[in-house]
């Protein structure tokens, strides 16, 4: 793993998060699948990160993609994030939704996709996402029309089919745009 990942800590940690969820009997099958696609010329990190996303259960994929909405290097209040996930309908309502959201967050942390920035006793207070994982969330979100980020450069790049829109360029600039074709 170390040689194929070129010793890159993020790739190793995320790959470890994928293997952690698998039974040891599955490791050899997964190894063959991974190394078949990872060559000296390929971008190993991107493939391994993509593999970690594809390995997520469906209910965690939306939660992970949601991290793409936040600006780079942004520390996210865990409680606020859980309320947002609940408001978006990502949380199964058959149990305590807020506790279920914390469980989902913990599962993403256990898979090494999300980093804990601050804990208070055992409770997660703040978290963040690594830049490369945020890029993956944004790239996958565009493919799935999950979200679009408006950076203020060109309003013609707004995607009318996207279900969520984040604007990190300032409220006034965004509000001044024509949103008539947006959902």
């Amino acid at each position: 793993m170390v040689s194929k990942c070129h010793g890159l800590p993020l790739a190793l940690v995320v790959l470890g998060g994928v293997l952690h969820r698998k039974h040891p009997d599955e490791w050899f099958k997964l190894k063959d699948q991974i190394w078949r696609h990872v060559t000296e010329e390929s971008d190993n990190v991107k493939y391994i990160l993509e593999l970690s996303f594809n390995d997520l259960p469906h209910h965690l994929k939306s939660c992970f993609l949601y991290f793409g909405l936040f600006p780079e290097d942004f520390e996210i209040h865990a409680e606020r994030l859980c309320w947002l996930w609940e408001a978006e309908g990502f949380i199964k309502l058959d149990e305590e939704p807020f506790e279920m959201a914390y469980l989902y967050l913990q599962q993403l942390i256990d898979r090494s996709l999300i980093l804990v920035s601050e804990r208070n006793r055992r409770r997660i207070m703040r978290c963040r996402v690594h830049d490369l994982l945020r890029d993956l969330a944004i790239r996958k979100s565009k493919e799935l029309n999950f979200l679009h980020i408006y950076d203020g450069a060109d309003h013609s790049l707004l995607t009318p089919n996207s279900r969520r829109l984040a604007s990190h360029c300032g409220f006034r600039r965004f509000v001044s745009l024509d949103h008539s074709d947006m959902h």
Side-chain angles (χ1 to χ4, degrees):
M1 278 177 38
V2 173
S3 65
K4 289 288 188 174
C5 294
H6 299 290
L8 296 170
L10 179 63
L12 289 167
V13 168
V14 170
L15 186 54
V18 171
L19 293 175
H20 174 71
R21 296 278 175 222
K22 304 286 183 193
H23 189 275
D25 295 341
E26 297 176 277
W27 290 0
F28 291 105
K29 293 179 216 168
L30 189 62
K31 178 188 76 111
D32 294 338
Q33 177 188 355
I34 293 169
W35 301 153
R36 186 172 353 131
H37 296 285
V38 175
T39 64
E40 293 301 318
E41 296 81 37
S42 71
D43 190 347
N44 301 347
V45 175
K46 284 186 181 176
Y47 177 76
I48 291 170
L49 297 182
E50 182 121 0
L51 174 71
S52 67
F53 174 78
N54 292 336
D55 190 57
L56 286 174
H58 181 73
H59 66 277
L60 290 180
K61 285 184 179 181
S62 295
C63 294
F64 173 73
L65 293 176
Y66 202 78
F67 281 92
L69 286 169
F70 297 97
E72 192 172 315
D73 299 324
F74 188 77
E75 286 202 358
I76 304 154
H77 292 269
E79 185 175 331
R80 180 171 184 241
L81 177 68
C82 291
W83 288 122
L84 289 168
W85 284 350
E86 186 179 343
E88 288 278 359
F90 298 161
I91 309 302
K92 297 175 187 172
L93 296 177
D94 54 344
E95 297 190 26
E96 281 295 319
F98 191 73
E99 291 305 315
M100 186 65 72
Y102 263 97
L103 177 65
Y104 287 5
L105 178 59
Q106 186 61 55
Q107 289 175 359
L108 291 171
I109 290 166
D110 291 346
R111 291 170 178 266
S112 302
L113 296 173
I114 305 302
L115 305 168
V116 176
S117 300
E118 180 186 336
R119 283 187 192 269
N120 184 353
R121 298 185 186 115
R122 290 189 178 156
R123 192 75 158 175
I124 301 160
M125 302 305 289
R126 294 175 190 258
C127 60
R128 62 185 181 85
V129 64
H130 189 283
D131 295 346
L132 292 176
L133 288 164
R134 180 180 175 270
D135 292 344
L136 171 68
I138 292 170
R139 190 173 66 250
K140 284 300 203 180
S141 292
K142 284 181 183 176
E143 288 175 21
L144 301 169
N145 286 327
F146 183 84
L147 72 87
H148 181 81
I149 296 176
Y150 174 67
D151 62 5
D154 184 5
H155 72 280
S156 65
L157 296 177
L158 289 174
T159 307
N161 296 333
S162 188
R163 288 177 255 160
R164 288 159 196 86
L165 181 64
S167 173
H168 302 157
C169 66
F171 184 70
R172 287 185 189 186
R173 181 182 232 176
F174 178 73
V175 170
S176 67
L177 297 174
D178 176 23
H179 301 290
S180 61
D181 64 342
M182 301 295 287
H183 292 300

